[in-house]
């Protein structure tokens, strides 16, 4: 039994749908970059009237609207963060929790393979989806910028966006995997995973605007992958991304140990 092939086949349709969602969302922004730049003065006047909290929530900085990658990288990437977080949470939770709910886990566990092997194969299938979506996002973003954007832009920043998308997916995948092996229920796993995603995203936005809860940002993964600083300073927070990935791998290791020892509730 090839577990990886089984997982990819079962989730392939969902994965293709998400590719379409991400691609269409990118096309909502990049093709209109030239027009946005031409009308940047009007947009700046409008943004100056918007509450600062809302601007912070969606990583919008007035300065970014004079930069081609800034237009997509502010509001567009903010929504991409949420979308890929949802994708990762749903895919990771489904790979494990669905097995428990549909009782197919019984069929898999009677096969002559260890639980460790089973867990790692399923996680490897999950990582294939995550890496594939990140690669498609990065290649698509670079290609669309080359096709639609007439002014100069920084490719380094675009590669940074791709790294951040990969990091966010790995992190929330690991959270969903841990929850799925503990609770063994897809609805509960998905609800908690998405709750953590929303809490971290808007918690970071609140922390950046309210001094008294500045500490809240320290526990939010988005705090360490700042879009505005990446665009304005042309700085990729690669070390932060690496640390988040290492923490995620640690969460997956804990999940594996739980999966190896915990009773299967079927």
């Amino acid at each position: 039994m090839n577990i990886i092939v089984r997982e990819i086949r079962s989730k392939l349709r969902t994965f293709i749908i998400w590719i379409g969602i991400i691609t269409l969302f990118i096309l909502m922004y990049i093709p209109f970059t030239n027009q946005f730049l031409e009308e940047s003065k009007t947009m700046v006047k409008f943004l100056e009237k918007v509450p600062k909290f809302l601007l912070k929530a969606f990583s919008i900085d007035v300065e970014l609207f004079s930069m081609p990658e800034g237009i997509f990288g502010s509001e567009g990437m903010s929504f991409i963060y949420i979308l890929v977080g949802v994708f990762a949470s749903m895919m990771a939770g489904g790979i494990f929790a669905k097995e428990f709910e549909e009782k197919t886990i019984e069929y898999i566990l009677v096969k002559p393979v260890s639980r460790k092997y089973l867990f790692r194969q399923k996680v490897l299938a999950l990582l294939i989806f995550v890496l594939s979506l990140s690669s498609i996002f990065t290649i698509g973003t670079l290609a669309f910028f080359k096709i639609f954007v007439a002014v100069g832009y920084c490719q380094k920043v675009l590669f940074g966006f791709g790294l951040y998308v990969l990091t966010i997916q790995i992190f929330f995948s690991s959270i969903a995997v841990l929850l799925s092996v503990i609770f063994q229920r897809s609805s509960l796993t998905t609800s908690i995973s998405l709750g953590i995603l929303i809490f971290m995203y808007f918690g970071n936005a609140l922390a950046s605007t309210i001094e008294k809860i500045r500490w809240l940002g320290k526990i939010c993964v988005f705090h360490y992958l700042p879009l505005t600083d990446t665009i304005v300073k042309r700085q990729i927070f690669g070390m932060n991304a690496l640390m988040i990935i290492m923490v995620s791998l640690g969460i997956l290791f804990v999940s594996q140990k739980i999966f190896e020892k915990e009773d299967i509730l079927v």
Side-chain angles (χ1 to χ4, degrees), residues 229-243:
D229 288 346
T230 297
I231 298 166
V232 174
K233 299 177 181 179
R234 297 287 197 264
Q235 178 183 356
I236 309 302
F237 293 83
M239 187 57 67
N240 289 0
L242 178 60
M243 292 301 296

Side-chain angles (χ1 to χ4, degrees), residues 29-38 40 63-77 141 144-146 148-155 157-158 161 231 234:
Y29 287 89
I30 298 177
F32 304 102
T33 297
N34 294 328
Q35 183 177 350
F36 285 149
L37 289 173
E38 292 174 359
S40 60
E63 183 180 355
L64 301 181
F65 284 86
S66 63
M67 310 167 70
E69 63 271 35
I71 294 171
F72 170 69
S74 56
E75 185 181 356
M77 275 300 297
T141 300
F144 292 148
F145 260 83
K146 185 175 182 180
F148 295 110
V149 180
V151 298
Y153 56 89
C154 181
Q155 284 192 344
V157 170
L158 302 184
F161 292 163
I231 298 166
R234 297 287 197 264

Side-chain angles (χ1 to χ4, degrees), residues 42-83:
T42 303
M43 295 186 67
V44 167
K45 291 181 180 179
F46 169 75
L47 291 174
E48 288 175 347
K49 299 178 182 179
V50 177
K52 292 183 178 181
F53 166 73
L54 291 178
L55 296 179
K56 285 284 186 180
F58 295 101
S59 301
I60 299 175
D61 190 299
V62 174
E63 183 180 355
L64 301 181
F65 284 86
S66 63
M67 310 167 70
E69 63 271 35
I71 294 171
F72 170 69
S74 56
E75 185 181 356
M77 275 300 297
S78 296
F79 284 111
I80 290 291
Y81 269 179
I82 296 175
L83 286 175

Side-chain angles (χ1 to χ4, degrees), residues 161-263:
F161 292 163
L163 174 62
Y164 295 169
V165 164
L166 174 64
T167 304
I168 292 298
Q169 287 187 88
I170 292 177
F171 178 77
F172 285 102
S173 292
S174 67
I175 294 293
V177 168
L178 176 62
L179 294 172
S180 67
V181 298
I182 292 175
F183 298 113
Q184 303 178 11
R185 295 292 182 270
S186 60
S187 58
L188 184 58
T189 296
T190 302
S191 298
I192 298 176
S193 298
L194 296 183
I196 294 173
L197 169 65
I198 293 170
F199 168 79
M200 285 194 171
Y201 185 85
F202 288 102
N204 180 55
L206 283 171
S208 64
T209 56
I210 303 175
E211 183 67 31
K212 291 183 179 180
I213 58 171
R214 191 62 57 87
W215 58 270
L216 185 61
K218 302 296 184 180
I219 62 173
C220 299
V221 66
F222 301 103
H223 172 79
Y224 302 98
L225 304 172
L227 293 171
T228 300
D229 288 346
T230 297
I231 298 166
V232 174
K233 299 177 181 179
R234 297 287 197 264
Q235 178 183 356
I236 309 302
F237 293 83
M239 187 57 67
N240 289 0
L242 178 60
M243 292 301 296
I244 293 170
I245 291 173
M246 294 300 293
V247 170
S248 303
L249 294 177
I251 294 172
L252 288 174
F253 179 76
V254 172
S255 303
Q256 176 187 306
K257 293 301 180 182
I258 294 174
F259 184 75
E260 289 177 23
K261 298 178 180 180
E262 189 174 5
D263 293 334

